[in-house]
Amino acid sequence: MLEIKNLHASVGDKKILNGINLQVNPGEVHAIMGPNGSGKSTLASVIAGKEEFEVKKGSIALEGEDLEELAPEERAHKGIFLSFQYPVEIPGVSVTNFMKTAINESRKARGLEDMPANQMLKLIREKSEMLEIDRKFLSRSLNEGFSGGEKKRNEIFQMAMMEPKLAILDETDSGLDIDALRIVANGVNKLRGGENAIIVITHYQRLLEYIVPDFVHVLHDGKIVKSGTKELALELEEKGYDWIKQETVV
Amino acid sequence: MAYTEEELKKELETKEYEYGFYTDIESDTFPKGLSEDIVIAISQKKQEPEWMTEWRLEAFRFWKEMEEPEWANVKYEKPNFQDISYYSAPNKKPKYNSLDEVDPELLDTFKRLGISLDEQKKLAGVAVDIVMDSVSVATTFKKTLAEKGIIFCSISEAIQDHPELVKKYIGTVVPQKDNFYAALNSAVFSDGSFCYIPKGVRCPMELSTYFRINQAGTGQFERTLVIADEGSYVSYLEGCTAPSRDENQLHAAVVELIALDDAEIKYSTVQNWYPGDKEGKGGVFNFVTKRGICEENAKISWTQVETGSAVTWKYPSCVLKGDNSIGEFYSIAVTNNYQQADTGTKMIHLGKNTKSTIISKGISAGQSQNSYRGLVQVNSRAENARNFSQCDSLLMGNRCGAHTFPYIETKNKSAQIEHEATTSKIGEDQIFYCNQRGIDTEKAIALIVNGFSKEVLNKLPMEFAVEAQKLLEISLEGSVG
Ligand SMILES: Nc1ncnc2c1ncn2[C@@H]1O[C@H](COP(=O)(O)OP(=O)(O)O)[C@@H](O)[C@H]1O
Ligand SMILES: [Mg+2]
């Protein structure tokens, strides 16, 4: 599904990613953990095609196709979805209108007609119920005045609406209380299985109790320094990141 | 949202100013230049009564003594007023009983503008009075309106058929010597619309006019007079497009609104004059005086979407003369490339318990300059006057400018005045967020701009809101790259 080879990326003179290798197969869930500033969000942005970051070396391929030349919206059309760590506000644009535009633009790119209104409505109803989102919430301006938890839940709502092939969740758990966490995780797990793949970026083991990963990777200084199974997350929780940092120094 | 994606797609594919074509119709054009003789000739041409000719001459004499205003935040090469022709009318028969009689080329023009009369007739509730250059060439729905006693015709016709109304009200809101352009307009106005709603009548349809500049080098001097008698209601729509020309074209219109006791007038404009090309060459100069007067308990709302013109100078205003009267101003002004706009409103509170609301949304892109200039004036007699003003600016890129000049003058301590202003920028993060959801940059900007403008778009009648959204998209194309 996703194949990242020796990826180096920087902003201006600052090198942030220093040779990432990652292979994600259909149906898998990968967790990426690591201390603040280790490059997790940058990796997510680079996969999504944010132009601010310059890819210096290496490659990213989705289903065998090199992404280098593709604009962010084209990557989205191919099924990449990013749940943002810090979702932005778009005043005056309702969640519903935003979703309608996003879905229809993606359909257009695939040569499909606009989704009929009643079908859209049905989809919205289904996904908002699943994530226990109040319908009134959907008429509010996108992310404007949303609490941290509402923003994250809204990101997952969008993911559910768009049914991406590859979903990258960047610290989706931060800001969520335990009940919300359970609801959101349930939404994510619905996407799981079959062909879809998920990358979960998190600091905490807590989320991984609900979304159980097949693999866990530790990112440090823009490099994956350790990979393992879900037990690695537990170990990190117990010992912190220092021992990993020390290991890499050695 | 009522627009279909297909429509939007089509619009987005048109990169150049889509109404930039020129219709070749023989015209009866006066020699260039302005003098008393020309003023008299215009008046004679239109077979006006003597009082009208005199009124024009009086205005001309004021104008000769006046100077072009310098204070607006716009820079442009001043028009040479002796190098303009002050009258032009399509040469063919000026009045038509049916569409068949209309010049086919003219009809074609209307079709390309998307306002074919056939379509318009079907569009329930919209009567169209089209001003092609200077003379009205088509009016529809007159009969339905006549049944209610509503008069909706060209101002030339009104001068002939309803002289008592015109004489009573013309120049009462915008006097001849009000300002340089108003004086010029008063002297040479060629045509425009007239509307009278009798006492207690609710006009059953939106009245609309489409304006269009056509003849090369011809100035346009429209004059509009709307009178809503006691307890009546009317919603009036004005929209305009112009063909692209290389030389600058001057447009100096005057609009006067009179809302008598308990009457309400809604006046909506979507303005799309040719803005000039990407280098700032050409484009229309739009110097407009729009003002309304409210008697007791009356209400006037101005809603405008300004996307065109090389230079815009325009301040739709309300004189809140009667007690408990209400004035509203909702505006979206977009500037791109080298456009300059200096626009805003004046709310003059004279009566007690008068209330005004100002919502202004300025969007600047390219190297354009967008200024809001507003005056809220509360007279000593105006007990308990209230005003709320909100001016929001949205910037795209680093080379454009947004400026806000709010002036507040109060002579009554009981006045409550609130002013809020914000400036924001379309952020790369916002665009990337949209991109990530599969929305390309052009569309993302349209989405963000429509969201920013929503409070004002919501004030427009439905058909106009759709049109206005499309215009916003077209006028901001290619503004981020
Ligand atoms: N746009 C940017 N300009 C400069 N430095 C950046 C930029 N984005 C991220 N960085 C830096 O790159 C490093 C990794 O950041 P980030 O990917 O956000 O880390 P994480 O998500 O793991 O906390 C940090 O040191 C951060 O300051
Ligand atoms: Mg991060």
Side-chain angles (χ1 to χ4, degrees):
Chain A
M1 159 92 50
L2 180 74
E3 194 161 12
I4 299 176
K5 283 187 188 149
N6 191 30
L7 183 68
H8 291 254
S10 32
V11 175
D13 292 340
K14 189 177 161 79
K15 290 187 191 163
I16 304 177
L17 302 182
N18 302 303
I20 300 232
N21 291 291
L22 182 67
Q23 160 116 23
V24 179
N25 297 311
E28 290 178 353
V29 174
H30 289 240
I32 295 180
M33 305 182 77
N36 283 328
S38 56
K40 302 183 295 294
S41 292
T42 302
L43 176 62
S45 296
V46 171
I47 296 171
K50 194 168 190 183
E51 272 140 29
E52 194 182 354
F53 301 102
E54 200 184 335
V55 174
K56 293 282 191 188
K57 234 197 256 177
S59 65
I60 308 171
L62 185 75
E63 298 187 305
E65 183 186 1
D66 193 281
L67 296 182
E68 192 178 340
E69 297 297 323
L70 297 186
E73 64 271 20
E74 293 170 314
R75 298 182 193 205
H77 298 156
K78 297 217 178 286
I80 293 180
F81 179 93
L82 172 57
S83 167
F84 285 78
Q85 182 176 3
Y86 305 109
V88 301
E89 296 178 1
I90 306 188
V93 177
S94 69
V95 176
T96 307
N97 186 23
F98 184 70
M99 265 299 94
K100 184 193 131 187
T101 309
I103 286 177
N104 284 335
E105 287 295 299
S106 296
R107 287 174 69 98
K108 193 161 78 182
R110 296 186 198 119
L112 297 173
E113 296 280 300
D114 279 0
M115 184 181 280
N118 55 358
Q119 200 182 327
M120 183 84 69
L121 206 67
K122 196 169 150 252
L123 191 64
I124 288 176
R125 197 174 294 143
E126 181 189 317
K127 303 301 182 188
S128 57
E129 271 166 24
M130 174 179 84
L131 289 160
E132 298 182 26
I133 288 174
D134 185 13
R135 286 287 287 284
K136 253 192 248 141
F137 180 83
L138 302 176
S139 67
R140 284 173 58 183
S141 287
L142 190 68
N143 292 319
E144 205 180 24
F146 287 15
S147 71
E150 284 172 335
K151 283 183 183 169
K152 296 302 170 72
R153 198 189 293 216
N154 180 38
E155 292 291 290
I156 299 305
F157 168 69
Q158 293 181 36
M159 181 197 78
M161 291 286 292
M162 302 195 72
E163 298 181 328
K165 276 186 199 143
L166 172 69
I168 305 165
L169 315 184
D170 192 356
E171 305 216 10
T172 299
D173 48 345
S174 65
L176 293 179
D177 60 37
I178 193 76
D179 293 331
L181 187 71
R182 208 177 285 130
I183 293 162
V184 162
N186 176 42
V188 174
N189 287 329
K190 285 253 166 64
L191 184 74
R192 196 169 179 174
E195 292 296 294
N196 303 315
I198 301 168
I199 296 175
V200 183
I201 295 171
T202 182
H203 268 306
Y204 305 105
Q205 138 75 13
R206 193 179 67 154
L207 177 69
L208 303 180
E209 282 171 20
Y210 298 98
I211 306 171
V212 183
D214 300 302
F215 300 96
V216 175
H217 311 277
V218 182
L219 201 61
H220 179 56
D221 275 343
K223 255 190 164 143
I224 291 179
V225 292
K226 204 169 177 70
S227 295
T229 53
K230 63 178 196 285
E231 285 74 26
L232 176 58
L234 282 170
E235 202 176 341
L236 285 167
E237 181 100 334
E238 219 168 280
K239 301 193 199 163
Y241 292 111
D242 284 348
W243 63 280
I244 300 241
K245 289 182 193 166
Q246 274 154 22
E247 260 181 29
T248 39
V249 174
V250 175
Chain B
M1 293 288 143
Y3 61 77
T4 66
E5 298 296 329
E6 196 48 45
E7 276 177 304
L8 282 170
K9 185 170 148 241
K10 240 190 262 156
E11 296 290 352
L12 284 165
E13 280 162 1
T14 347
K15 284 286 173 188
E16 290 305 312
Y17 182 72
E18 62 172 342
Y19 301 146
F21 54 87
Y22 173 63
T23 311
D24 196 10
I25 298 169
E26 285 176 59
S27 285
D28 171 6
T29 302
F30 274 28
K32 288 175 176 176
L34 188 52
S35 63
E36 293 212 355
D37 287 345
I38 291 282
V39 174
I40 292 167
I42 291 170
S43 192
Q44 276 173 355
K45 187 101 199 159
K46 304 170 83 64
Q47 299 166 351
E48 288 176 353
E50 213 184 307
W51 62 266
M52 197 70 242
T53 316
E54 275 310 312
W55 194 83
R56 286 176 180 274
L57 283 170
E58 203 183 341
F60 176 71
R61 289 171 201 138
F62 286 131
W63 179 75
K64 271 202 312 197
E65 303 302 317
M66 295 170 103
E67 304 247 339
E68 246 187 296
E70 299 272 3
W71 46 267
N73 191 26
V74 293
K75 292 191 188 70
Y76 59 96
E77 200 173 312
K78 297 231 166 89
N80 177 353
F81 292 96
Q82 295 304 336
D83 197 34
I84 291 172
S85 166
Y86 287 87
Y87 183 84
S88 123
N91 217 1
K92 306 280 166 67
K93 230 168 121 190
K95 284 268 143 211
Y96 304 98
N97 298 318
S98 85
L99 284 180
D100 308 338
E101 297 170 37
V102 178
D103 186 331
E105 210 170 326
L106 190 61
L107 280 183
D108 189 51
T109 304
F110 293 152
K111 282 199 191 101
R112 287 162 78 181
L113 282 166
I115 51 164
S116 95
L117 285 179
D118 272 331
E119 243 175 42
Q120 290 294 345
K121 280 179 183 168
K122 278 186 227 145
L123 244 175
V126 180
V128 181
D129 177 271
I130 295 167
V131 178
M132 176 75 175
D133 257 12
S134 314
V135 173
S136 303
V137 290
T139 306
T140 49
F141 283 98
K142 254 193 170 152
K143 250 178 65 195
T144 330
L145 296 174
E147 279 162 17
K148 297 223 164 216
I150 295 169
I151 304 165
F152 180 41
C153 62
S154 73
I155 192 117
S156 308
E157 280 177 280
I159 291 167
Q160 301 297 335
D161 302 342
H162 309 281
E164 70 297 339
L165 282 173
V166 177
K167 202 171 172 179
K168 184 169 174 194
Y169 289 108
I170 195 168
T172 57
V173 190
V174 180
Q176 291 135 300
K177 58 180 168 188
D178 188 81
N179 67 69
F180 182 83
Y181 302 112
L184 180 64
N185 176 288
S186 302
V188 303
F189 72 87
S190 35
D191 214 334
S193 296
F194 176 86
C195 170
Y196 172 80
I197 317 290
K199 271 184 200 171
V201 170
R202 242 190 112 79
C203 184
M205 55 183 77
E206 319 264 7
L207 299 181
S208 74
T209 316
Y210 288 83
F211 292 94
R212 182 168 165 75
I213 293 179
N214 200 301
Q215 205 61 27
T218 302
Q220 277 274 297
F221 305 96
E222 306 294 343
R223 185 107 200 170
T224 302
L225 181 57
V226 178
I227 303 150
D229 212 329
E230 292 171 19
S232 68
Y233 167 84
V234 63
S235 166
Y236 191 96
L237 317 183
E238 171 199 56
C240 50
T241 56
S244 46
R245 313 281 332 166
D246 242 354
E247 63 201 280
N248 291 314
Q249 290 178 303
L250 176 66
H251 182 83
V254 170
V255 177
E256 294 179 280
L257 308 185
I258 292 136
L260 297 179
D261 292 356
D262 304 302
E264 179 175 351
I265 301 174
K266 263 183 81 140
Y267 194 102
S268 314
T269 307
V270 171
Q271 189 268 112
N272 184 26
W273 299 113
Y274 180 55
D277 65 15
K278 287 207 159 52
E279 276 72 51
K281 211 162 150 250
V284 170
F285 290 179
N286 192 28
F287 303 123
V288 183
T289 307
K290 288 182 164 179
R291 195 175 304 149
I293 189 161
C294 288
E295 298 291 345
E296 245 171 70
N297 302 316
K299 178 174 172 183
I300 289 179
S301 303
W302 296 101
T303 305
Q304 59 173 24
V305 178
E306 301 273 334
T307 63
S309 296
V311 179
T312 301
W313 180 97
K314 180 176 176 184
Y315 315 91
S317 307
C318 296
V319 180
L320 304 174
K321 180 172 165 237
D323 292 350
N324 311 312
S325 59
I326 298 174
E328 294 176 339
F329 174 74
Y330 301 101
S331 167
I332 301 169
V334 180
T335 54
N336 197 357
N337 300 318
Y338 288 87
Q339 280 176 274
Q340 306 174 63
D342 194 295
T343 180
T345 185
K346 288 183 212 163
M347 294 289 174
I348 313 293
H349 293 253
L350 302 178
K352 295 190 180 76
N353 305 317
T354 46
K355 225 163 83 181
S356 62
T357 305
I358 298 170
I359 309 280
S360 162
K361 304 272 178 179
I363 300 152
S364 349
Q367 317 207 23
S368 66
Q369 296 298 324
N370 201 328
S371 304
Y372 166 82
R373 189 183 300 277
L375 169 68
V376 176
Q377 196 182 65
V378 178
N379 257 47
S380 52
R381 208 177 64 77
E383 286 296 318
N384 297 318
R386 291 215 313 251
N387 164 267
F388 175 75
S389 303
Q390 185 186 323
C391 303
D392 299 324
S393 308
L394 186 66
L395 297 172
M396 297 165 67
N398 297 317
R399 293 175 302 165
C400 53
H403 317 271
T404 308
F405 306 100
Y407 303 95
I408 297 168
E409 296 169 10
T410 49
K411 294 189 184 127
N412 188 311
K413 286 209 174 72
S414 66
Q416 285 180 44
I417 294 177
E418 275 178 81
H419 179 88
E420 286 174 11
T422 66
T423 300
S424 51
K425 214 168 159 174
I426 293 190
E428 272 168 34
D429 285 348
Q430 281 177 317
I431 292 181
F432 178 64
Y433 189 89
C434 294
N435 289 162
Q436 208 301 304
R437 299 299 187 251
I439 301 166
D440 68 23
T441 301
E442 205 105 62
K443 182 94 197 173
I445 288 168
L447 196 69
I448 295 166
V449 166
N450 277 329
F452 172 77
S453 316
K454 199 171 163 188
E455 287 159 280
V456 176
L457 288 172
N458 283 346
K459 295 286 169 189
L460 288 170
M462 190 60 182
E463 321 86 86
F464 244 30
V466 174
E467 178 100 340
Q469 275 181 340
K470 283 190 213 164
L471 270 179
L472 292 182
E473 299 202 22
I474 296 168
S475 45
L476 289 169
E477 268 169 24
S479 48
V480 166

